[in-house]
């Protein structure tokens, strides 16, 4: 009994040491002694969205709905499904100690390092890899460049501590282990072997991101088919299918609120629109597994990086395996082609088969591209599976090193030479995989963060609690390219630093709030200001980086209308206009009854959406190109049926006549159109809710070599009027 107790204590201390070593290394690599943990490690792009999500979770209880963004509506994320429940649960616990969302995000990111080390060590030790090689492989896997390049911008991709456990299940399946189900008396039955542990792993896989869950299901299918071929038994396929079903059910459970919302409100194709070609754009490139994507510090590598940087279409660029991992990858490739049939189905053979399966799925032009075309384009960034290759490669290399240590166990000198070589690989690997570029620019980030914080505090000192602030420029949410010098999600900075105010940015594109804000922001300045103050907005927030002229022409008009000078941030990037006086002056022109009617009209308008089709031309003469079929969605946000009149002109790019069919639930028309503008108008009833008009043309596509759009016909100078 004493021996057993001592052995357990040794195991516990081995994991504690691994955890401690991982934390020490992350502190050194990130220079955490310079960090203010209440300031995010990154303060741009997707990192801002991550912080906003976490603040929403802390303040609202969960991430799906937030009344402080998307004003005057409520921001809802139901159209943007995520299966990241486990991550949010951990961060919710962290927030109990400090509710600052930046602190929560930073701490969770730091925790992903020891968590990855521990799961890696657990899996490697499960396969009898000695402590030193297992610890070395685990640390190198933890400090792979992927971890730093994803960072808090892609926090849930940085949280890849489930990857070793996914590989563990895959290896159990490919080796035809007696797990989940088995044959007994010629009948399928559930086996108790490791059942509880496996089910827990499945639950965690399904709750830590759709991408890793999808990759897990692929590996389970691959493992089951491979085992069926090797062992000539279909039971392995049943096990893999059952594994996929359990993970799939877990993902669906995570997404139940999203699914119910979409069933009740209809799908929103604009929320997370994907094109199958993106699987090619974000596919994995074998070259990038071996080429660092940052300033390596070694001149030879820097020359390689510079040479490859001119290569067309580099993708997300986080695939580098490191020098040590690259050796492991090449070993797996060699084993695939030079395996000994007498040692078929050993661990190295299994690792090599899983590895080549991943490559065939993820590489550009691989099976992932076929999946995007034939099944769904929603999974597009197949390069992200490189983190699985990294673990397989390190597993393979250090499994071989472990065998060498065991082989020389009776030779003190040889055994210790191999151990010293293992330590040498650890040092070389860490130096290769980490860089000064991993260190956040703490001082610069804090300066910008404090600048925005002080600016928002000034606004809050001016406006009453729960006042609404309209933000310009209008930017669709989520996933939008930069607008001049303003990156995506940067308008969330107002909410991140705010305690009491409501902000206009953050309405889901394709839904009422976003359509309303877009239409309002597109109005002439005087009309725009009148509309937003009527809607109840008491302030206007402008990010000058979002304008070609730094917002000068816009602000000149605003100053003329409001007779106000803005409150400016210390760095002069942000401007705020108090609109309370303008609101009062406009309100005085109406009786209470008239004002109430006007407010209702502004807040519950008829909204027109051409499904993200861009407008070209000027305000006086504009048009939008449509493919063979286009739709106009009219949303009546009021509770009564309204009479709507629309007018527009149609034209194709050719002189010959073609047919245009117009169809809705209450009317249909047919026109013949060509390159000469054809006027069309119609009046109809629009009940509360959404009303769709479909336009279908059989015209020839216009040849525009430098334009990827499908251009068939134009809608010119679209106008509408609404009768009360």
């Amino acid at each position: 009994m004493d021996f057993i107790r001592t052995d357990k204590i040794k195991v516990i201390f081995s994991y504690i040491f691994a955890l401690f070593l991982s934390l020490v290394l992350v502190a050194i690599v990130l220079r955490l002694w310079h960090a203010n943990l209440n300031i995010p490690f990154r303060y741009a792009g997707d990192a801002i969205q991550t912080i906003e999500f976490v603040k929403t979770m802390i303040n609202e209880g969960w991430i799906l709905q937030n009344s402080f963004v998307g004003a005057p509506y409520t921001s809802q994320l139901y159209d943007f499904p995520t299966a990241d429940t486990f991550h949010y649960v951990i961060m919710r616990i962290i927030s109990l100690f400090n509710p600052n969302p930046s602190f929560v995000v930073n701490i969770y990111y730091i925790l992903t390092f020891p968590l990855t080390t521990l799961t890696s060590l657990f899996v490697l030790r499960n396969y009898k890899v000695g402590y030193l090689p297992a610890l070395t492989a685990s640390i190198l896997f933890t400090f792979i460049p992927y971890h730093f390049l994803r960072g808090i911008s892609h926090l849930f991709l940085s949280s890849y501590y489930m990857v070793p456990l996914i590989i563990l299940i895959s290896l159990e399946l490919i080796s035809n282990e007696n797990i989940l189900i088995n044959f007994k008396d010629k009948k399928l039955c559930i086996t108790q072997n490791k059942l509880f542990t496996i089910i827990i792993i499945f639950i965690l896989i399904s709750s830590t991101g759709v991408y890793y869950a999808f990759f897990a299901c692929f590996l389970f299918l691959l493992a089951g088919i491979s085992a069926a071929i090797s062992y000539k038994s279909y039971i392995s396929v049943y096990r893999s299918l059952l594994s996929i079903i359990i993970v799939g059910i877990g993902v669906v459970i995570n997404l139940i609120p999203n699914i119910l919302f979409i069933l009740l409100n209809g799908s929103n194709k604009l929320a997370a629109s994907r094109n199958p070609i993106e699987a090619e754009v974000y596919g994995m490139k074998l070259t990038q597994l071996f080429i660092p994507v940052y300033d390596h510090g070694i001149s030879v590598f820097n020359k390689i990086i510079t040479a490859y940087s001119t290569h067309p279409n580099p993708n997300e660029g986080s695939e580098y395996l490191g020098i040590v991992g690259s050796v492991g990858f090449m070993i797996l490739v060699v084993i695939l082609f030079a395996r000994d049939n007498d040692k078929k189905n050993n661990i190295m053979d299994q690792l090599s088969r899983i590895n080549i399966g991943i490559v065939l799925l993820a590489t550009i032009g691989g099976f992932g591209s076929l999946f995007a075309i034939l099944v769904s384009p929603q999974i597009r960034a197949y390069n992200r599976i490189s983190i699985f290759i990294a673990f397989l490669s390190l597993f393979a290399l250090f499994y071989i090193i472990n065998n060498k240590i065991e082989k020389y166990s009776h030779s003190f000198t040889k055994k210790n030479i191999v151990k010293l070589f293992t330590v040498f690989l650890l040092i070389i690997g860490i130096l290769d995989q980490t860089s000064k570029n991993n260190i956040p620019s703490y001082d610069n980030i804090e300066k910008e963060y404090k600048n925005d914080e002080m600016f928002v505090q000034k606004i809050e000192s001016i406006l009453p609690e729960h006042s609404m602030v309209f933000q310009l420029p209008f930017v669709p949410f989520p996933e939008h390219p930069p607008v001049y010098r303003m990156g995506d999600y940067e308008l969330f900075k107002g909410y991140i630093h705010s305690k009491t105010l409501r902000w206009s940015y953050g309405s889901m594109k394709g839904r009422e709030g976003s359509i309303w804000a877009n239409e309002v922001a597109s109005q002439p300045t005087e009309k725009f200001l009148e509309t937003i103050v009527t809607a109840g907005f008491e302030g206007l927030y402008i990010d000058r980086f979002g304008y070609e002229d730094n917002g000068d022409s816009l602000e000149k008009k605003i100053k003329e209308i409001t007779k106000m000078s803005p409150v400016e941030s210390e760095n002069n990037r942000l401007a705020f206009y108090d609109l309370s006086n303008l609101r009062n002056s406009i309100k005085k022109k109406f009786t209470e009854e008239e004002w109430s009617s006007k407010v209702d009209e502004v807040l519950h308008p008829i909204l027109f959406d051409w499904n993200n089709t861009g407008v070209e031309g000027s305000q006086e003469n504009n048009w939008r190109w449509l493919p063979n079929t286009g739709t106009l969605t009219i949303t009546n946000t009021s509770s009564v049926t309204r009479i709507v009149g629309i007018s527009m002109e149609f034209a194709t790019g050719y002189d010959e006549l073609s047919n245009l069919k117009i169809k809705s639930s209450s009317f249909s028309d047919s026109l013949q159109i060509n390159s000469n503008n054809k006027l069309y108008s119609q009046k109809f009833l629009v009940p509360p809710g959404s009303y769709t008009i479909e336009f279908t043309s059989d015209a020839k596509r216009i040849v525009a070599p430098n334009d990827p759009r499908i251009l068939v016909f134009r809608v010119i100078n679209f106008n509408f009027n609404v009768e009360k």
Side-chain angles (χ1 to χ4, degrees), residues 90-300:
I90 295 180
M91 288 192 285
R92 192 73 181 92
I93 295 170
I94 296 171
S95 71
L96 299 176
F97 300 93
N98 183 341
N100 182 315
S102 298
F103 174 86
V104 173
V105 168
N106 287 341
I107 292 298
Y108 185 58
Y109 176 61
I110 292 170
L111 284 177
T112 62
F113 287 85
L115 286 172
T116 303
T117 299
L118 293 178
T119 57
S120 303
L121 185 62
F122 170 77
V123 171
L124 292 167
R125 294 291 283 158
N126 185 71
Y127 283 92
K128 310 302 180 186
V129 179
Y131 184 68
L132 178 60
L135 177 63
T136 301
S138 299
I139 291 293
L140 291 179
F141 180 63
T142 300
F143 289 85
I144 207 79
Y146 183 99
H147 210 150
F148 301 102
L149 293 169
R150 295 297 177 182
I152 67 169
S153 293
H154 291 167
L155 181 61
F156 299 148
L157 293 177
S158 299
S159 309
Y160 58 84
Y161 45 79
M162 290 304 301
V163 168
L165 299 178
I166 293 171
I167 297 297
L168 172 67
I169 300 296
S170 301
L171 288 171
E172 294 285 297
L173 291 170
I174 202 172
S175 59
N176 207 30
E177 287 292 321
N178 181 22
I179 60 171
L180 291 177
I181 54 174
N182 203 2
F183 279 119
K184 186 176 182 181
D185 298 328
K186 297 184 179 180
K187 293 182 180 180
L188 277 176
C189 62
I190 295 175
T191 177
Q192 299 299 315
N193 182 27
K194 306 175 186 176
L195 182 63
F196 179 76
T197 301
I198 290 171
I199 294 299
I200 292 297
I201 292 174
F202 285 158
I203 292 172
L204 292 177
I205 291 171
S206 63
S207 304
T208 50
V210 172
Y211 263 95
Y212 291 154
F214 174 80
F215 293 150
C217 290
F218 169 75
L219 293 186
F220 297 162
L221 180 62
L222 174 69
I225 294 173
S226 180
I229 294 171
S230 297
Y231 296 97
K232 297 178 175 56
S233 170
Y234 289 110
I235 186 67
S236 55
V237 176
Y238 298 150
R239 290 186 184 119
S240 67
L241 291 177
L242 180 58
S243 302
I244 292 168
I245 290 170
I246 295 172
V247 171
I249 290 172
V251 171
V252 170
I253 291 172
N254 274 271
L255 299 180
I256 282 176
N258 307 80
I259 295 169
L260 291 177
F261 179 86
I262 292 170
L263 288 175
L264 291 172
N265 297 277
S267 62
N268 180 3
K269 295 180 181 179
L270 298 182
S273 179
R274 300 286 186 263
N275 189 303
I277 195 63
E278 294 179 59
E280 294 284 293
V281 175
Y282 298 110
M284 188 183 73
K285 293 184 176 181
L286 286 176
T287 313
Q288 290 189 264
L289 295 175
F290 306 103
I291 297 181
V293 290
Y294 53 85
D295 183 7
H296 195 277
I298 300 175
S299 59
V300 174

Side-chain angles (χ1 to χ4, degrees), residues 28 111 178 223 274 417 471 473 500 536 558-559 571 678:
I28 293 171
L111 284 177
N178 181 22
R274 300 286 186 263
I417 287 174
Q471 294 169 279
T500 63
I558 292 172
K559 290 173 185 176
N571 61 5
K678 178 85 169 184

Side-chain angles (χ1 to χ4, degrees), residues 669-689:
D669 284 312
S670 294
L671 303 175
Q672 286 194 317
I673 60 175
N674 59 10
S675 57
N676 298 316
N677 294 1
K678 178 85 169 184
L679 181 64
Y680 175 80
S681 62
Q682 183 62 264
K683 185 180 287 188
F684 47 93
L685 296 175
V686 178

Side-chain angles (χ1 to χ4, degrees), residues 488-507:
D488 200 11
Y489 306 120
E490 298 212 7
L491 290 176
F492 270 140
K493 290 179 177 179
Y495 169 68
I496 287 172
H497 295 289
S498 172
K499 295 181 176 66
T500 63
L501 301 177
R502 298 180 64 200
W503 305 83
S504 67
Y505 176 67
S507 288

Side-chain angles (χ1 to χ4, degrees), residues 414-553:
K414 290 182 178 179
K415 180 179 70 175
N416 283 289
I417 287 174
V418 178
K419 286 185 175 182
L420 285 173
F421 178 68
T422 304
V423 174
F424 171 75
L425 289 180
L426 174 62
I427 296 170
I428 290 297
I430 290 294
L431 292 175
D432 166 52
Q433 295 174 193
T434 60
S435 161
K436 62 182 180 181
N437 294 322
N438 300 144
I439 306 169
S441 182
Y442 294 118
D443 291 340
N444 292 334
I445 293 172
E446 183 164 4
K447 183 179 179 181
E448 185 179 357
Y449 191 85
K450 291 292 186 183
N451 169 83
D452 297 340
E453 183 178 55
M454 291 172 59
F455 178 67
V456 173
Q457 286 175 354
K458 288 179 186 177
I459 298 174
E460 290 194 323
S461 69
I462 296 170
L463 298 180
E465 289 188 7
H466 303 294
S467 295
M468 294 192 297
V469 180
F470 198 95
Q471 294 169 279
L472 289 177
F474 170 79
V475 179
F477 168 83
E479 297 180 342
H480 193 271
V483 179
Y484 296 105
R485 292 181 292 157
M486 186 183 76
D488 200 11
Y489 306 120
E490 298 212 7
L491 290 176
F492 270 140
K493 290 179 177 179
Y495 169 68
I496 287 172
H497 295 289
S498 172
K499 295 181 176 66
T500 63
L501 301 177
R502 298 180 64 200
W503 305 83
S504 67
Y505 176 67
S507 288
M508 181 63 63
K509 60 187 176 185
R511 295 294 181 185
E512 293 178 11
S514 181
I515 299 170
W516 182 88
N518 187 21
E519 287 195 5
V520 169
S522 301
Q523 295 172 346
T525 306
E526 187 170 1
K527 175 67 173 174
F528 158 72
L529 291 172
E530 181 180 342
T531 301
I532 64 172
V533 298
T534 303
F537 286 91
E538 297 191 53
L540 177 63
Y541 170 111
I542 299 174
D543 188 332
R544 291 166 172 166
F545 278 19
Y547 294 89
E548 186 176 14
D549 64 349
N550 214 40
D552 291 343
S553 58

